[in-house]
Amino acid sequence: MWLILGLIAIVATFINLYMYGTGKDYKLAMAMGLSFTALTLVADYSMVSDWVKAEDWSALLDVVPTMEIAFWVLTIISISLNITPILLELKNKK
């Protein structure tokens, strides 16, 4: 589930940037990109919770350390890309 939500977050982020580039209202796409990023993180946390309940320690040891780094990096990139239009608007107003 987290993979699907993550792909939707990526698509929404690119729609956000495209809409800004064409001069259209991008705020809904920005909100969707950030929301789906949050849903991706929650879905992953739910998956990890299921592994803990099942006591699947090998899955936790194999996946969680790598996923932690990936999710930190991808979340920072998502936030940065989604707020870029707002920052560019602020810069252009000055």
Side-chain angles (χ1 to χ4, degrees), residues 11-91:
V11 169
T13 299
F14 283 111
I15 291 172
N16 172 25
L17 296 171
Y18 172 77
M19 291 179 79
Y20 173 75
T22 59
K24 297 180 181 176
D25 187 21
Y26 59 87
K27 292 183 175 121
L28 177 62
M30 178 184 64
M32 287 178 54
L34 292 172
S35 297
F36 277 103
T37 299
L39 289 172
T40 301
L41 295 173
V42 173
D44 183 64
Y45 189 85
S46 177
M47 179 182 67
V48 169
S49 174
D50 290 340
W51 289 344
V52 170
K53 288 177 192 172
E55 297 182 8
D56 190 355
W57 308 122
S58 62
L60 290 167
L61 290 170
D62 288 343
V63 175
V64 173
T66 305
M67 292 301 287
E68 176 196 9
I69 295 166
F71 277 132
W72 272 108
V73 169
L74 293 173
T75 301
I76 291 168
I77 291 170
S78 175
I79 291 169
S80 300
L81 287 176
N82 277 296
I83 65 169
T84 295
I86 290 177
L87 297 175
L88 289 173
E89 271 190 3
L90 290 174
K91 181 183 172 189

